[in-house]
Amino acid sequence: MFGGEAVEKIILHSDANSFFASVEAALDPSLKGKAVAVCGAVEERHGIVLAQSIQARRWGVKTGMTVAEAKKCTPNLTVVKPHYDMYTKYSKALRRIYNDYAFKVEPFGLDECWLDLSTGIKNFKDGVYVAETLREQVKKELDITVSVGVSFNKIFAKLGSDLKKPDAVTLISPQNYKEKVFPLPVNALLGVGRSTAAALKKYGIKTVGALAECNPDFLKQTLGKAGETLWIYANGLESSPVLSEEEHPPVKSVGNGMTPPADLKTADEVHAFILWLSLEVGRRLRECGLLCGGVSLSLRDTALAVKQYQAPLKQATDNGGDIAAAAYRLFAGKAGAPLPLRSLTVTAINLVDIRAPMQIDMFCDNRQTEKRRALNRAVDAVCGRYGQNALLPASLFGKGFALSPSGQSFQR
Ligand SMILES: [Mg+2]
């Protein structure tokens, strides 16, 4: 119970608290302790809340609300514009600090990382000490706070970082996990979204403990492979290693999604937004030396309901324009596609290495493809130097989307 026993693995998960809002307060101390909402299109009534401070959250301000809705929660709400370049800078600074503590640091999004301490540290008492030291160092050096989970697997470490916020450390050990984790709702586990939680609820499974005590065969029958995985998670049996960036397995998908500053009301706006997101997806594919053989589009409406569509491509590509065209066909092909939309995600799927041998489409002009590749390389070089919005197609000129690095995802 005191955490002094030697264990096989000691993993930390560190999660920056209300990351965007905390960075804003670190940059402008007058925002400290206030209810702050980071919003796109501040000047318009219809701007959307992208992130909020802990104080704003206490008043009920939620991500995805309009500014008008958020202001109804509390009249004292301070609304600020996002500074994405600063969030990236702080994200890198966090990672530099983590690298001092662990050989293996695996980022999960912009503001979360797993650290594997197992090589140097053999018991949880020391693991908690490292977590406390790291938490203090982040606060002192960056003026933002983190919550850290300490555990024997990545899933419980992440869950631990959610249990006490802000500026806290939580230990979930083999001795206490049943007491700490089992009473929590199933969606406390990574990978349990709204639909999975609803499916489990149908069978009366509402807590992690109930999930852990299920027959794994029953879960496999009802939820497929995911059911089996969740049973493993709930029982603390997950054992995947913390992977440093060089060790990452090949990327399985490259996605870019975000909430635009205002809801998308027309097909034209959707078209422009899809193109905007897809250009970045193409750039990331080229950076990784990958082509995609399919595209997936996920749409979130103003009631926050999500619909997802996907389709294979005739010819694998790393060109943002082609990805956008395929994604827009998915949108346009669904006559019932809801408008207005609150957010969109374009994801490149069925990825192949650009060097892999592939069938060449006989009806496709390969000279044209080569020319476009050369153009993309030139655009990448300019944007690499002057920022990702330095060169854009004329059709996007004057569109006020703020491209968010937080929406990008790599699925492995
Ligand atoms: Mg966070």
Side-chain angles (χ1 to χ4, degrees):
M1 268 309 205
F2 297 98
E5 304 84 354
V7 279
E8 232 170 83
K9 268 202 219 172
I10 299 185
I11 293 172
L12 264 49
H13 181 267
S14 182
D15 184 352
N17 305 121
S18 309
F19 184 55
F20 288 8
S22 301
V23 171
E24 295 298 336
L27 296 169
D28 175 3
S30 76
L31 297 173
K32 276 197 197 292
K34 287 190 182 156
V36 176
V38 181
C39 299
V42 178
E43 57 286 353
E44 293 165 44
R45 241 188 100 260
H46 298 292
I48 303 296
V49 176
L50 305 171
Q52 67 286 73
S53 67
I54 297 161
Q55 292 78 6
R57 197 167 300 157
R58 282 189 193 137
W59 285 103
V61 175
K62 292 195 179 92
T63 305
M65 278 182 167
T66 62
V67 172
E69 283 165 348
K71 281 191 172 157
K72 273 187 208 147
C73 296
T74 165
N76 298 322
L77 190 70
T78 307
V79 175
V80 298
K81 275 190 204 156
H83 296 92
Y84 293 112
D85 50 337
M86 285 296 148
Y87 309 150
T88 310
K89 200 175 143 190
Y90 273 74
S91 174
K92 284 185 183 154
L94 277 170
R95 248 176 260 178
R96 265 200 299 278
I97 292 177
Y98 299 153
N99 282 329
D100 288 344
Y101 292 88
F103 287 119
K104 289 191 178 169
V105 175
E106 178 177 342
F108 189 65
L110 212 54
D111 68 321
E112 300 179 27
C113 279
W114 279 288
L115 290 73
D116 188 346
L117 302 183
S118 319
T119 41
I121 284 173
K122 296 293 172 207
N123 63 62
F124 278 123
K125 203 170 153 225
D126 295 344
V128 168
Y129 178 77
V130 169
E132 295 284 8
T133 313
L134 175 152
R135 180 183 62 75
E136 285 294 339
Q137 190 184 340
V138 169
K139 194 161 57 169
K140 204 168 134 205
E141 288 184 16
L142 301 181
D143 199 17
I144 64 174
T145 61
V146 292
S147 287
V148 189
V150 184
S151 194
F152 52 100
N153 67 61
K154 283 160 81 176
I155 298 300
F156 282 0
K158 172 150 172 71
L159 193 149
S161 70
D162 273 335
L163 280 187
K164 227 187 287 165
K165 295 192 247 191
D167 199 17
V169 172
T170 302
L171 170 67
I172 296 177
S173 67
Q175 288 77 28
N176 75 9
Y177 79 93
K178 286 188 179 165
E179 170 201 329
K180 292 223 166 176
V181 174
F182 278 15
L184 301 172
V186 283
N187 63 7
L189 283 177
L190 182 64
V192 179
R194 219 187 279 185
S195 62
T196 309
L200 289 169
K201 201 176 160 195
K202 263 194 252 166
Y203 300 101
I205 307 165
K206 290 177 198 160
T207 63
V208 177
L211 183 61
E213 279 151 20
C214 267
N215 180 340
D217 292 332
F218 162 76
L219 287 171
K220 202 174 171 185
Q221 275 161 27
T222 43
L223 295 175
K225 181 102 178 57
E228 201 183 2
T229 307
L230 290 180
W231 184 84
I232 290 171
Y233 284 6
N235 281 288
L237 299 171
E238 197 270 344
S239 63
S240 72
V242 172
L243 295 175
S244 60
E245 252 165 322
E246 308 85 68
E247 285 176 309
H248 263 300
V251 174
K252 283 196 194 127
S253 70
V254 174
N256 187 19
M258 70 171 288
T259 304
D263 291 340
L264 302 169
K265 292 182 200 69
T266 65
D268 271 355
E269 284 174 7
V270 172
H271 187 267
F273 198 60
I274 283 178
L275 177 57
W276 186 297
L277 293 173
S278 303
L279 290 172
E280 179 62 15
V281 172
R283 198 187 64 72
R284 300 306 284 254
L285 285 173
R286 294 191 291 278
E287 196 177 81
C288 302
L290 295 167
L291 300 172
C292 68
V295 170
S296 139
L297 176 71
S298 141
L299 310 169
R300 192 158 68 136
D301 65 22
T302 46
L304 307 186
V306 178
K307 288 204 172 88
Q308 200 172 7
Y309 309 103
Q310 65 179 61
L313 290 171
K314 267 194 192 153
Q315 181 79 19
T317 185
D318 59 5
N319 183 48
D322 293 338
I323 294 165
Y328 188 73
R329 276 197 300 275
L330 286 170
F331 167 78
K334 310 293 160 192
L339 277 175
L341 290 172
R342 182 58 50 90
S343 71
L344 272 181
T345 302
V346 176
T347 307
I349 54 172
N350 307 343
L351 305 187
V352 288
D353 195 298
I354 195 162
R355 293 158 305 186
M358 85 187 87
Q359 216 173 346
I360 290 178
D361 185 349
M362 289 198 298
F363 302 103
C364 157
D365 184 345
N366 287 302
R367 251 188 347 210
Q368 203 56 38
T369 309
E370 274 316 309
K371 264 195 199 163
R372 209 171 41 209
R373 287 225 166 110
L375 174 65
N376 281 335
R377 272 197 297 272
V379 172
D380 290 347
V382 172
C383 294
R385 187 141 180 216
Y386 298 103
Q388 55 199 27
N389 296 333
L391 275 180
L392 286 173
S395 60
L396 287 180
F397 189 73
K399 299 273 196 279
F401 308 132
L403 203 56
S404 152
S406 66
Q408 287 154 21
S409 69
F410 286 92
Q411 285 288 320
R412 297 171 202 263

